[in-house]
Amino acid sequence: MTMAFSLLAERCFSRDYAQARQRFLDAARARAAHIESFPLEVRGAAGEELSTDIALIRPSGARGLLILTSATHGMEGFCGSGCQLQLLGDEALLARAADAKVALLLIHALNPYGFSWLSRTNEDNIDLNRNAQPFDVALPENPGYAELHPLLVPPSWPPSEQNRQAIADYIAEHGLIRYRDAVSRGQYTHPDGIFYGGAARSQSLRTLEHVLRTHAAEFPDIGWIDYHTGLGPCGHGEKIYTGGRDMTAVARAQRWWGGDVTVPFAGTASSADITGLIGGLLPAACPEARIATMALEYGTVPFEPMVDALRGDVWLRAHPDASPALAQQIRQTSRDTFHSEHDLWKGLLLGQSRLAIHQALCGLAAEAEQA
């Protein structure tokens, strides 16, 4: 890697949530962005204030809006924050947005608690991307998870060989596909488990709904890129459609970002077919808008060690009296699972993000011309 890129990676990828937040706010102010902050009552791992911060850059006559969200899954915010910071420092791409008459809404650290504490979930162990549910009706059932829960959250950490063998026996009996679906599809019955979707709308998603109604509702065309890490080959950014079961919306996303946009409900994505995605909040907040949404999911490690990191995280929440050394080990494993310090990996992230943003700007400009 060149020295110039190493400096770019150092500027974009932060050592912790507090540094990422300060860098984001400083960069947004330098662009004369409209900034708002939405603090949580709980504190961060270093006692710092936790907040979801937004920056709106709106050129004169803007007709379209591109939303970029980071840290929907807490510690995955190292990636998303880095991509947001790259954009705020990219003169050419910002000029392209202004020329296309596209406003930029950057939502930094949707789940600041998880970002700070190196957890995928929020202060209530809620997975925000399973939490955008209507909670006044029956919630999705996942009997496979209920069967696995006692194995996934063991009484001791690290798991015993008997525990690991029991999971291997389940996979041998039911198959790897069924196991992965049961684990990751989301569940609403075990608050102390993994991929828990909650029993009510989280504060973070109430904040997101407010931001969408306040800053997005007037735009006729909206694109949304939500940054994630974890699934897929290391460094590859899978473009995963995150809207509803609407083939017109799927076609729009594939028109903007390419035919390789994968679709979970069609079985073409590495992700399970999930309900409660945050992208589902957009049609309700902006019912008249033409929408294209996707998650840019950058691969890190295989599925099994990723699940192990999540298991360790929920075990630690249930055992706050764990030794400091074990707690540090679990959190470091979580960070290493969802983020890489290799410059090549960071370069792949930034390059694919820049391309996806450029494609979205072109898509938004085309939609405006055809309106």
Side-chain angles (χ1 to χ4, degrees):
M1 285 293 176
T2 66
M3 178 65 71
F5 176 75
S6 294
L7 291 173
L8 175 63
E10 171 61 26
R11 179 178 65 80
C12 292
F13 294 96
S14 302
R15 65 176 178 269
D16 54 27
Y17 161 77
Q19 183 182 53
R21 184 190 184 203
Q22 191 60 56
R23 285 175 164 182
F24 176 80
L25 293 173
D26 289 346
R29 292 188 188 105
R31 294 296 174 188
H34 170 78
I35 298 171
E36 294 180 31
S37 297
F38 301 88
L40 293 180
E41 292 183 2
V42 296
R43 308 296 287 189
E48 77 274 29
E49 179 184 70
L50 299 177
S51 176
T52 295
D53 302 296
I54 71 164
L56 177 65
I57 301 174
R58 181 171 184 163
S60 177
R63 299 169 297 187
L65 175 69
L66 177 59
I67 303 168
L68 304 175
T69 39
S70 65
T72 299
H73 287 145
M75 60 191 162
E76 298 175 26
F78 290 100
C79 158
S81 175
C83 293
Q84 290 172 323
L85 285 170
Q86 181 201 30
L87 173 58
L88 288 170
D90 192 326
E91 298 283 355
L93 202 53
L94 292 171
R96 176 72 182 91
D99 291 342
K101 296 191 181 300
V102 173
L104 302 169
L105 176 59
L106 281 61
I107 303 175
H108 185 266
L110 184 59
N111 172 11
Y113 177 91
F115 196 167
S116 177
W117 285 96
L118 301 179
S119 175
R120 191 173 187 271
T121 51
N122 78 345
E123 59 274 16
D124 298 312
N125 193 40
I126 292 173
D127 183 322
L128 299 188
N129 233 8
R130 311 295 190 278
N131 185 237
Q133 295 280 4
F135 285 95
D136 56 347
V137 298
L139 293 168
E141 296 181 354
N142 187 353
Y145 180 85
E147 186 177 357
L148 281 164
H149 178 77
L151 300 178
L152 293 172
V153 187
S156 61
W157 196 265
S160 66
E161 286 304 315
Q162 293 90 337
N163 175 268
R164 293 195 180 279
Q165 185 59 51
I167 292 176
D169 291 344
Y170 180 97
I171 294 171
E173 179 179 355
H174 299 284
L176 187 59
I177 293 176
R178 180 172 169 181
Y179 167 73
R180 290 184 174 184
D181 182 74
V183 169
S184 65
R185 179 155 45 95
Q187 53 89 13
Y188 300 85
T189 52
H190 296 76
D192 60 338
I194 60 177
F195 296 99
Y196 174 60
R201 190 65 53 85
S202 63
Q203 179 180 342
S204 291
L205 289 203
R206 296 197 302 272
T207 293
L208 179 58
E209 288 176 304
H210 168 78
V211 170
L212 295 176
R213 289 194 302 267
T214 303
H215 297 294
E218 67 184 89
F219 290 95
D221 297 295
I222 302 173
W224 189 346
I225 301 173
D226 187 29
Y227 291 98
H228 290 269
T229 60
L231 296 176
C234 186
H236 170 66
E238 181 181 354
K239 297 171 283 188
I240 305 176
Y241 170 76
T242 55
R245 284 170 157 72
D246 178 350
M247 294 311 298
T248 299
V250 171
R252 184 179 300 112
Q254 292 179 335
R255 189 166 63 247
W256 290 19
W257 288 299
D260 59 339
V261 171
T262 60
V263 184
F265 69 79
T268 62
S270 61
S271 169
D273 183 13
I274 298 163
T275 61
L277 294 169
I278 64 170
L281 300 177
L282 194 51
C286 310
E288 304 301 321
R290 293 181 292 270
I291 296 167
T293 65
M294 76 157 179
L296 195 51
E297 175 86 42
Y298 296 105
T300 52
V301 300
F303 183 81
E304 285 69 28
M306 182 191 74
V307 170
D308 257 9
L310 300 180
R311 296 174 68 202
D313 178 42
V314 296
W315 182 90
L316 183 58
R317 285 178 183 248
H319 297 82
D321 56 343
S323 71
L326 180 56
Q328 174 60 26
Q329 179 186 38
I330 289 171
R331 293 192 178 112
Q332 187 63 47
T333 297
S334 294
R335 176 173 180 146
D336 293 343
T337 298
F338 290 92
H339 178 73
S340 171
E341 291 298 341
H342 291 292
D343 278 352
L344 177 59
W345 187 81
K346 294 175 181 178
L348 289 169
L349 266 60
L350 296 180
Q352 291 170 89
S353 172
R354 193 176 194 278
L355 175 59
I357 292 170
H358 181 78
Q359 290 172 319
L361 296 177
C362 292
L364 285 162
E367 296 287 346
E369 289 174 2
Q370 295 170 9

mmCIF file of all heavy atoms in Angstrom, residues 120-163:
data_model
loop_
_atom_site.group_PDB
_atom_site.id
_atom_site.type_symbol
_atom_site.label_atom_id
_atom_site.label_comp_id
_atom_site.label_asym_id
_atom_site.label_seq_id
_atom_site.Cartn_x
_atom_site.Cartn_y
_atom_site.Cartn_z
ATOM 1 N N ARG A 120 -22.607 -5.986 18.891
ATOM 2 C CA ARG A 120 -23.443 -5.842 17.696
ATOM 3 C C ARG A 120 -24.797 -5.225 18.040
ATOM 4 O O ARG A 120 -25.412 -4.559 17.204
ATOM 5 C CB ARG A 120 -23.643 -7.213 17.053
ATOM 6 C CG ARG A 120 -24.277 -7.202 15.656
ATOM 7 C CD ARG A 120 -24.249 -8.614 15.097
ATOM 8 N NE ARG A 120 -24.682 -8.680 13.716
ATOM 9 C CZ ARG A 120 -25.923 -8.848 13.315
ATOM 10 N NH1 ARG A 120 -26.889 -8.941 14.213
ATOM 11 N NH2 ARG A 120 -26.235 -8.918 12.030
ATOM 12 N N THR A 121 -25.250 -5.427 19.264
ATOM 13 C CA THR A 121 -26.584 -5.006 19.657
ATOM 14 C C THR A 121 -26.533 -3.754 20.521
ATOM 15 O O THR A 121 -25.469 -3.276 20.890
ATOM 16 C CB THR A 121 -27.297 -6.148 20.398
ATOM 17 O OG1 THR A 121 -26.446 -6.633 21.446
ATOM 18 C CG2 THR A 121 -27.602 -7.301 19.443
ATOM 19 N N ASN A 122 -27.712 -3.227 20.861
ATOM 20 C CA ASN A 122 -27.772 -1.952 21.579
ATOM 21 C C ASN A 122 -27.768 -2.173 23.091
ATOM 22 O O ASN A 122 -27.502 -3.272 23.582
ATOM 23 C CB ASN A 122 -28.984 -1.138 21.115
ATOM 24 C CG ASN A 122 -30.292 -1.616 21.735
ATOM 25 O OD1 ASN A 122 -30.387 -2.715 22.305
ATOM 26 N ND2 ASN A 122 -31.320 -0.801 21.638
ATOM 27 N N GLU A 123 -28.099 -1.130 23.816
ATOM 28 C CA GLU A 123 -28.046 -1.180 25.279
ATOM 29 C C GLU A 123 -29.028 -2.182 25.875
ATOM 30 O O GLU A 123 -28.889 -2.581 27.033
ATOM 31 C CB GLU A 123 -28.299 0.219 25.862
ATOM 32 C CG GLU A 123 -29.622 0.845 25.478
ATOM 33 C CD GLU A 123 -29.594 1.587 24.151
ATOM 34 O OE1 GLU A 123 -28.645 1.393 23.360
ATOM 35 O OE2 GLU A 123 -30.533 2.362 23.894
ATOM 36 N N ASP A 124 -30.010 -2.617 25.108
ATOM 37 C CA ASP A 124 -30.976 -3.620 25.569
ATOM 38 C C ASP A 124 -30.794 -4.951 24.853
ATOM 39 O O ASP A 124 -31.710 -5.781 24.849
ATOM 40 C CB ASP A 124 -32.402 -3.098 25.343
ATOM 41 C CG ASP A 124 -32.692 -1.841 26.140
ATOM 42 O OD1 ASP A 124 -32.385 -1.827 27.348
ATOM 43 O OD2 ASP A 124 -33.199 -0.863 25.562
ATOM 44 N N ASN A 125 -29.630 -5.156 24.273
ATOM 45 C CA ASN A 125 -29.312 -6.364 23.511
ATOM 46 C C ASN A 125 -30.218 -6.539 22.295
ATOM 47 O O ASN A 125 -30.446 -7.652 21.829
ATOM 48 C CB ASN A 125 -29.375 -7.632 24.389
ATOM 49 C CG ASN A 125 -28.743 -8.836 23.697
ATOM 50 O OD1 ASN A 125 -27.712 -8.713 23.035
ATOM 51 N ND2 ASN A 125 -29.371 -9.995 23.822
ATOM 52 N N ILE A 126 -30.725 -5.443 21.758
ATOM 53 C CA ILE A 126 -31.604 -5.502 20.589
ATOM 54 C C ILE A 126 -30.785 -5.345 19.315
ATOM 55 O O ILE A 126 -29.945 -4.445 19.197
ATOM 56 C CB ILE A 126 -32.684 -4.407 20.657
ATOM 57 C CG1 ILE A 126 -33.657 -4.693 21.797
ATOM 58 C CG2 ILE A 126 -33.445 -4.289 19.339
ATOM 59 C CD1 ILE A 126 -34.659 -3.579 22.047
ATOM 60 N N ASP A 127 -31.046 -6.222 18.369
ATOM 61 C CA ASP A 127 -30.491 -6.112 17.025
ATOM 62 C C ASP A 127 -31.386 -5.146 16.248
ATOM 63 O O ASP A 127 -32.541 -5.464 15.944
ATOM 64 C CB ASP A 127 -30.479 -7.498 16.370
ATOM 65 C CG ASP A 127 -29.855 -7.508 14.992
ATOM 66 O OD1 ASP A 127 -30.072 -6.534 14.224
ATOM 67 O OD2 ASP A 127 -29.175 -8.486 14.648
ATOM 68 N N LEU A 128 -30.883 -3.959 15.938
ATOM 69 C CA LEU A 128 -31.723 -2.931 15.317
ATOM 70 C C LEU A 128 -32.267 -3.365 13.970
ATOM 71 O O LEU A 128 -33.341 -2.909 13.559
ATOM 72 C CB LEU A 128 -30.941 -1.625 15.167
ATOM 73 C CG LEU A 128 -30.430 -0.970 16.446
ATOM 74 C CD1 LEU A 128 -29.853 0.406 16.136
ATOM 75 C CD2 LEU A 128 -31.528 -0.858 17.493
ATOM 76 N N ASN A 129 -31.564 -4.254 13.287
ATOM 77 C CA ASN A 129 -32.036 -4.697 11.975
ATOM 78 C C ASN A 129 -33.018 -5.864 12.073
ATOM 79 O O ASN A 129 -33.304 -6.522 11.071
ATOM 80 C CB ASN A 129 -30.856 -5.085 11.083
ATOM 81 C CG ASN A 129 -30.898 -4.367 9.747
ATOM 82 O OD1 ASN A 129 -31.714 -3.473 9.515
ATOM 83 N ND2 ASN A 129 -30.009 -4.751 8.841
ATOM 84 N N ARG A 130 -33.523 -6.118 13.244
ATOM 85 C CA ARG A 130 -34.662 -7.024 13.452
ATOM 86 C C ARG A 130 -35.774 -6.288 14.208
ATOM 87 O O ARG A 130 -36.815 -6.872 14.497
ATOM 88 C CB ARG A 130 -34.246 -8.259 14.279
ATOM 89 C CG ARG A 130 -32.981 -9.003 13.825
ATOM 90 C CD ARG A 130 -33.109 -9.628 12.481
ATOM 91 N NE ARG A 130 -31.989 -10.527 12.157
ATOM 92 C CZ ARG A 130 -30.807 -10.150 11.691
ATOM 93 N NH1 ARG A 130 -30.522 -8.870 11.552
ATOM 94 N NH2 ARG A 130 -29.886 -11.051 11.350
ATOM 95 N N ASN A 131 -35.559 -5.009 14.512
ATOM 96 C CA ASN A 131 -36.398 -4.263 15.448
ATOM 97 C C ASN A 131 -37.455 -3.379 14.780
ATOM 98 O O ASN A 131 -38.338 -2.875 15.463
ATOM 99 C CB ASN A 131 -35.507 -3.404 16.358
ATOM 100 C CG ASN A 131 -36.249 -2.670 17.443
ATOM 101 O OD1 ASN A 131 -36.178 -1.451 17.542
ATOM 102 N ND2 ASN A 131 -36.981 -3.401 18.281
ATOM 103 N N ALA A 132 -37.396 -3.209 13.465
ATOM 104 C CA ALA A 132 -38.376 -2.350 12.778
ATOM 105 C C ALA A 132 -39.630 -3.153 12.462
ATOM 106 O O ALA A 132 -40.026 -3.319 11.307
ATOM 107 C CB ALA A 132 -37.769 -1.754 11.517
ATOM 108 N N GLN A 133 -40.245 -3.646 13.511
ATOM 109 C CA GLN A 133 -41.434 -4.495 13.424
ATOM 110 C C GLN A 133 -42.661 -3.737 13.910
ATOM 111 O O GLN A 133 -42.547 -2.847 14.761
ATOM 112 C CB GLN A 133 -41.260 -5.737 14.307
ATOM 113 C CG GLN A 133 -40.173 -6.684 13.890
ATOM 114 C CD GLN A 133 -40.589 -7.599 12.765
ATOM 115 O OE1 GLN A 133 -41.680 -7.490 12.224
ATOM 116 N NE2 GLN A 133 -39.714 -8.516 12.403
ATOM 117 N N PRO A 134 -43.837 -4.111 13.425
ATOM 118 C CA PRO A 134 -45.066 -3.645 14.088
ATOM 119 C C PRO A 134 -45.292 -4.494 15.333
ATOM 120 O O PRO A 134 -45.587 -5.689 15.238
ATOM 121 C CB PRO A 134 -46.145 -3.890 13.027
ATOM 122 C CG PRO A 134 -45.609 -4.995 12.181
ATOM 123 C CD PRO A 134 -44.111 -4.883 12.208
ATOM 124 N N PHE A 135 -45.142 -3.898 16.495
ATOM 125 C CA PHE A 135 -45.203 -4.673 17.736
ATOM 126 C C PHE A 135 -46.615 -4.810 18.291
ATOM 127 O O PHE A 135 -46.800 -5.364 19.377
ATOM 128 C CB PHE A 135 -44.264 -4.053 18.777
ATOM 129 C CG PHE A 135 -42.816 -4.327 18.504
ATOM 130 C CD1 PHE A 135 -42.044 -3.414 17.811
ATOM 131 C CD2 PHE A 135 -42.229 -5.518 18.909
ATOM 132 C CE1 PHE A 135 -40.707 -3.660 17.548
ATOM 133 C CE2 PHE A 135 -40.897 -5.786 18.651
ATOM 134 C CZ PHE A 135 -40.130 -4.858 17.966
ATOM 135 N N ASP A 136 -47.603 -4.328 17.549
ATOM 136 C CA ASP A 136 -48.988 -4.487 17.990
ATOM 137 C C ASP A 136 -49.649 -5.700 17.352
ATOM 138 O O ASP A 136 -50.855 -5.908 17.495
ATOM 139 C CB ASP A 136 -49.794 -3.219 17.685
ATOM 140 C CG ASP A 136 -49.746 -2.833 16.212
ATOM 141 O OD1 ASP A 136 -48.908 -3.388 15.471
ATOM 142 O OD2 ASP A 136 -50.544 -1.972 15.802
ATOM 143 N N VAL A 137 -48.871 -6.496 16.625
ATOM 144 C CA VAL A 137 -49.378 -7.735 16.035
ATOM 145 C C VAL A 137 -48.431 -8.862 16.434
ATOM 146 O O VAL A 137 -47.384 -8.639 17.044
ATOM 147 C CB VAL A 137 -49.472 -7.620 14.495
ATOM 148 C CG1 VAL A 137 -50.444 -6.517 14.094
ATOM 149 C CG2 VAL A 137 -48.099 -7.362 13.876
ATOM 150 N N ALA A 138 -48.821 -10.082 16.066
ATOM 151 C CA ALA A 138 -47.988 -11.232 16.389
ATOM 152 C C ALA A 138 -46.620 -11.094 15.722
ATOM 153 O O ALA A 138 -46.522 -10.756 14.536
ATOM 154 C CB ALA A 138 -48.670 -12.515 15.942
ATOM 155 N N LEU A 139 -45.572 -11.355 16.469
ATOM 156 C CA LEU A 139 -44.212 -11.233 15.951
ATOM 157 C C LEU A 139 -43.800 -12.519 15.236
ATOM 158 O O LEU A 139 -44.361 -13.600 15.491
ATOM 159 C CB LEU A 139 -43.251 -10.943 17.104
ATOM 160 C CG LEU A 139 -43.434 -9.578 17.759
ATOM 161 C CD1 LEU A 139 -42.641 -9.505 19.058
ATOM 162 C CD2 LEU A 139 -43.005 -8.471 16.811
ATOM 163 N N PRO A 140 -42.839 -12.412 14.331
ATOM 164 C CA PRO A 140 -42.388 -13.614 13.618
ATOM 165 C C PRO A 140 -41.898 -14.687 14.586
ATOM 166 O O PRO A 140 -41.232 -14.397 15.578
ATOM 167 C CB PRO A 140 -41.237 -13.083 12.748
ATOM 168 C CG PRO A 140 -41.501 -11.625 12.591
ATOM 169 C CD PRO A 140 -42.138 -11.199 13.877
ATOM 170 N N GLU A 141 -42.220 -15.921 14.284
ATOM 171 C CA GLU A 141 -41.799 -17.038 15.120
ATOM 172 C C GLU A 141 -40.526 -17.665 14.562
ATOM 173 O O GLU A 141 -40.300 -17.679 13.343
ATOM 174 C CB GLU A 141 -42.906 -18.087 15.207
ATOM 175 C CG GLU A 141 -44.171 -17.572 15.882
ATOM 176 C CD GLU A 141 -45.248 -18.643 15.989
ATOM 177 O OE1 GLU A 141 -45.037 -19.747 15.441
ATOM 178 O OE2 GLU A 141 -46.290 -18.374 16.618
ATOM 179 N N ASN A 142 -39.714 -18.188 15.440
ATOM 180 C CA ASN A 142 -38.477 -18.859 15.040
ATOM 181 C C ASN A 142 -38.245 -20.030 15.994
ATOM 182 O O ASN A 142 -37.403 -19.970 16.891
ATOM 183 C CB ASN A 142 -37.300 -17.881 15.074
ATOM 184 C CG ASN A 142 -36.022 -18.487 14.514
ATOM 185 O OD1 ASN A 142 -35.954 -19.671 14.213
ATOM 186 N ND2 ASN A 142 -34.989 -17.660 14.377
ATOM 187 N N PRO A 143 -39.025 -21.104 15.822
ATOM 188 C CA PRO A 143 -38.896 -22.235 16.752
ATOM 189 C C PRO A 143 -37.516 -22.882 16.723
ATOM 190 O O PRO A 143 -37.073 -23.451 17.720
ATOM 191 C CB PRO A 143 -39.982 -23.208 16.286
ATOM 192 C CG PRO A 143 -40.278 -22.808 14.863
ATOM 193 C CD PRO A 143 -40.068 -21.330 14.803
ATOM 194 N N GLY A 144 -36.832 -22.784 15.570
ATOM 195 C CA GLY A 144 -35.490 -23.348 15.496
ATOM 196 C C GLY A 144 -34.533 -22.674 16.463
ATOM 197 O O GLY A 144 -33.689 -23.328 17.088
ATOM 198 N N TYR A 145 -34.683 -21.357 16.622
ATOM 199 C CA TYR A 145 -33.806 -20.659 17.561
ATOM 200 C C TYR A 145 -34.101 -21.104 18.990
ATOM 201 O O TYR A 145 -33.174 -21.311 19.782
ATOM 202 C CB TYR A 145 -33.946 -19.137 17.456
ATOM 203 C CG TYR A 145 -33.022 -18.474 18.445
ATOM 204 C CD1 TYR A 145 -31.693 -18.230 18.119
ATOM 205 C CD2 TYR A 145 -33.432 -18.191 19.748
ATOM 206 C CE1 TYR A 145 -30.807 -17.707 19.041
ATOM 207 C CE2 TYR A 145 -32.551 -17.660 20.685
ATOM 208 C CZ TYR A 145 -31.244 -17.428 20.323
ATOM 209 O OH TYR A 145 -30.372 -16.931 21.259
ATOM 210 N N ALA A 146 -35.377 -21.227 19.338
ATOM 211 C CA ALA A 146 -35.725 -21.637 20.702
ATOM 212 C C ALA A 146 -35.078 -22.969 21.061
ATOM 213 O O ALA A 146 -34.632 -23.175 22.193
ATOM 214 C CB ALA A 146 -37.248 -21.719 20.834
ATOM 215 N N GLU A 147 -34.992 -23.842 20.081
ATOM 216 C CA GLU A 147 -34.362 -25.139 20.316
ATOM 217 C C GLU A 147 -32.858 -25.002 20.530
ATOM 218 O O GLU A 147 -32.254 -25.720 21.343
ATOM 219 C CB GLU A 147 -34.638 -26.046 19.110
ATOM 220 C CG GLU A 147 -34.164 -27.475 19.263
ATOM 221 C CD GLU A 147 -34.537 -28.334 18.071
ATOM 222 O OE1 GLU A 147 -35.220 -27.832 17.154
ATOM 223 O OE2 GLU A 147 -34.119 -29.515 18.055
ATOM 224 N N LEU A 148 -32.251 -24.034 19.820
ATOM 225 C CA LEU A 148 -30.804 -23.874 19.876
ATOM 226 C C LEU A 148 -30.326 -22.973 21.019
ATOM 227 O O LEU A 148 -29.148 -23.023 21.383
ATOM 228 C CB LEU A 148 -30.303 -23.285 18.552
ATOM 229 C CG LEU A 148 -30.172 -24.249 17.376
ATOM 230 C CD1 LEU A 148 -30.049 -23.469 16.068
ATOM 231 C CD2 LEU A 148 -28.972 -25.164 17.573
ATOM 232 N N HIS A 149 -31.213 -22.148 21.541
ATOM 233 C CA HIS A 149 -30.787 -21.115 22.490
ATOM 234 C C HIS A 149 -29.940 -21.645 23.645
ATOM 235 O O HIS A 149 -28.895 -21.048 23.969
ATOM 236 C CB HIS A 149 -31.998 -20.358 23.030
ATOM 237 C CG HIS A 149 -31.640 -19.320 24.052
ATOM 238 N ND1 HIS A 149 -31.092 -18.099 23.722
ATOM 239 C CD2 HIS A 149 -31.716 -19.338 25.420
ATOM 240 C CE1 HIS A 149 -30.862 -17.401 24.823
ATOM 241 N NE2 HIS A 149 -31.228 -18.124 25.864
ATOM 242 N N PRO A 150 -30.330 -22.748 24.312
ATOM 243 C CA PRO A 150 -29.502 -23.221 25.431
ATOM 244 C C PRO A 150 -28.079 -23.595 25.013
ATOM 245 O O PRO A 150 -27.159 -23.542 25.844
ATOM 246 C CB PRO A 150 -30.269 -24.444 25.946
ATOM 247 C CG PRO A 150 -31.664 -24.254 25.465
ATOM 248 C CD PRO A 150 -31.541 -23.569 24.141
ATOM 249 N N LEU A 151 -27.916 -23.963 23.744
ATOM 250 C CA LEU A 151 -26.578 -24.289 23.257
ATOM 251 C C LEU A 151 -25.812 -23.041 22.858
ATOM 252 O O LEU A 151 -24.601 -22.939 23.081
ATOM 253 C CB LEU A 151 -26.678 -25.235 22.045
ATOM 254 C CG LEU A 151 -27.360 -26.581 22.287
ATOM 255 C CD1 LEU A 151 -27.424 -27.369 20.987
ATOM 256 C CD2 LEU A 151 -26.620 -27.371 23.362
ATOM 257 N N LEU A 152 -26.513 -22.077 22.259
ATOM 258 C CA LEU A 152 -25.850 -20.873 21.764
ATOM 259 C C LEU A 152 -25.367 -19.973 22.895
ATOM 260 O O LEU A 152 -24.379 -19.254 22.745
ATOM 261 C CB LEU A 152 -26.798 -20.096 20.844
ATOM 262 C CG LEU A 152 -27.145 -20.792 19.522
ATOM 263 C CD1 LEU A 152 -28.234 -20.016 18.798
ATOM 264 C CD2 LEU A 152 -25.910 -20.936 18.631
ATOM 265 N N VAL A 153 -26.089 -19.981 24.020
ATOM 266 C CA VAL A 153 -25.694 -19.170 25.175
ATOM 267 C C VAL A 153 -25.353 -20.128 26.312
ATOM 268 O O VAL A 153 -26.185 -20.432 27.168
ATOM 269 C CB VAL A 153 -26.819 -18.197 25.574
ATOM 270 C CG1 VAL A 153 -26.322 -17.239 26.661
ATOM 271 C CG2 VAL A 153 -27.317 -17.409 24.373
ATOM 272 N N PRO A 154 -24.119 -20.609 26.348
ATOM 273 C CA PRO A 154 -23.742 -21.646 27.318
ATOM 274 C C PRO A 154 -23.540 -21.066 28.716
ATOM 275 O O PRO A 154 -23.389 -19.853 28.883
ATOM 276 C CB PRO A 154 -22.426 -22.182 26.747
ATOM 277 C CG PRO A 154 -21.824 -20.998 26.058
ATOM 278 C CD PRO A 154 -22.998 -20.237 25.465
ATOM 279 N N PRO A 155 -23.484 -21.910 29.716
ATOM 280 C CA PRO A 155 -23.297 -21.422 31.095
ATOM 281 C C PRO A 155 -21.892 -20.921 31.373
ATOM 282 O O PRO A 155 -21.684 -20.166 32.328
ATOM 283 C CB PRO A 155 -23.624 -22.646 31.949
ATOM 284 C CG PRO A 155 -23.394 -23.811 31.048
ATOM 285 C CD PRO A 155 -23.754 -23.350 29.668
ATOM 286 N N SER A 156 -20.905 -21.323 30.567
ATOM 287 C CA SER A 156 -19.532 -20.890 30.808
ATOM 288 C C SER A 156 -18.896 -20.476 29.487
ATOM 289 O O SER A 156 -19.352 -20.842 28.402
ATOM 290 C CB SER A 156 -18.717 -22.022 31.457
ATOM 291 O OG SER A 156 -18.665 -23.150 30.586
ATOM 292 N N TRP A 157 -17.843 -19.681 29.598
ATOM 293 C CA TRP A 157 -17.122 -19.239 28.411
ATOM 294 C C TRP A 157 -15.616 -19.347 28.662
ATOM 295 O O TRP A 157 -15.159 -18.955 29.729
ATOM 296 C CB TRP A 157 -17.494 -17.792 28.059
ATOM 297 C CG TRP A 157 -17.071 -17.453 26.657
ATOM 298 C CD1 TRP A 157 -15.908 -16.838 26.266
ATOM 299 C CD2 TRP A 157 -17.777 -17.779 25.473
ATOM 300 N NE1 TRP A 157 -15.857 -16.753 24.904
ATOM 301 C CE2 TRP A 157 -16.988 -17.314 24.381
ATOM 302 C CE3 TRP A 157 -18.997 -18.414 25.205
ATOM 303 C CZ2 TRP A 157 -17.401 -17.472 23.058
ATOM 304 C CZ3 TRP A 157 -19.399 -18.565 23.896
ATOM 305 C CH2 TRP A 157 -18.612 -18.098 22.842
ATOM 306 N N PRO A 158 -14.891 -19.924 27.716
ATOM 307 C CA PRO A 158 -15.341 -20.390 26.402
ATOM 308 C C PRO A 158 -16.194 -21.652 26.511
ATOM 309 O O PRO A 158 -16.180 -22.333 27.540
ATOM 310 C CB PRO A 158 -14.027 -20.668 25.667
ATOM 311 C CG PRO A 158 -13.033 -20.936 26.751
ATOM 312 C CD PRO A 158 -13.430 -20.052 27.881
ATOM 313 N N PRO A 159 -16.939 -21.955 25.447
ATOM 314 C CA PRO A 159 -17.823 -23.118 25.500
ATOM 315 C C PRO A 159 -17.041 -24.413 25.699
ATOM 316 O O PRO A 159 -15.893 -24.541 25.273
ATOM 317 C CB PRO A 159 -18.512 -23.103 24.127
ATOM 318 C CG PRO A 159 -18.307 -21.720 23.604
ATOM 319 C CD PRO A 159 -17.016 -21.245 24.168
ATOM 320 N N SER A 160 -17.699 -25.361 26.342
ATOM 321 C CA SER A 160 -17.080 -26.665 26.551
ATOM 322 C C SER A 160 -17.092 -27.461 25.241
ATOM 323 O O SER A 160 -17.813 -27.145 24.294
ATOM 324 C CB SER A 160 -17.856 -27.444 27.618
ATOM 325 O OG SER A 160 -19.159 -27.746 27.133
ATOM 326 N N GLU A 161 -16.268 -28.494 25.211
ATOM 327 C CA GLU A 161 -16.260 -29.378 24.038
ATOM 328 C C GLU A 161 -17.609 -30.064 23.867
ATOM 329 O O GLU A 161 -18.052 -30.308 22.736
ATOM 330 C CB GLU A 161 -15.144 -30.415 24.182
ATOM 331 C CG GLU A 161 -13.759 -29.844 23.967
ATOM 332 C CD GLU A 161 -13.625 -29.158 22.610
ATOM 333 O OE1 GLU A 161 -14.073 -29.731 21.598
ATOM 334 O OE2 GLU A 161 -13.075 -28.036 22.565
ATOM 335 N N GLN A 162 -18.278 -30.367 24.984
ATOM 336 C CA GLN A 162 -19.607 -30.980 24.886
ATOM 337 C C GLN A 162 -20.609 -30.023 24.231
ATOM 338 O O GLN A 162 -21.451 -30.449 23.435
ATOM 339 C CB GLN A 162 -20.099 -31.376 26.290
ATOM 340 C CG GLN A 162 -19.296 -32.505 26.931
ATOM 341 C CD GLN A 162 -18.120 -31.969 27.741
ATOM 342 O OE1 GLN A 162 -17.644 -30.852 27.513
ATOM 343 N NE2 GLN A 162 -17.653 -32.776 28.697
ATOM 344 N N ASN A 163 -20.489 -28.733 24.569
ATOM 345 C CA ASN A 163 -21.373 -27.744 23.949
ATOM 346 C C ASN A 163 -21.133 -27.667 22.445
ATOM 347 O O ASN A 163 -22.084 -27.674 21.643
ATOM 348 C CB ASN A 163 -21.132 -26.384 24.600
ATOM 349 C CG ASN A 163 -21.917 -25.268 23.924
ATOM 350 O OD1 ASN A 163 -21.409 -24.618 23.018
ATOM 351 N ND2 ASN A 163 -23.156 -25.063 24.344
#
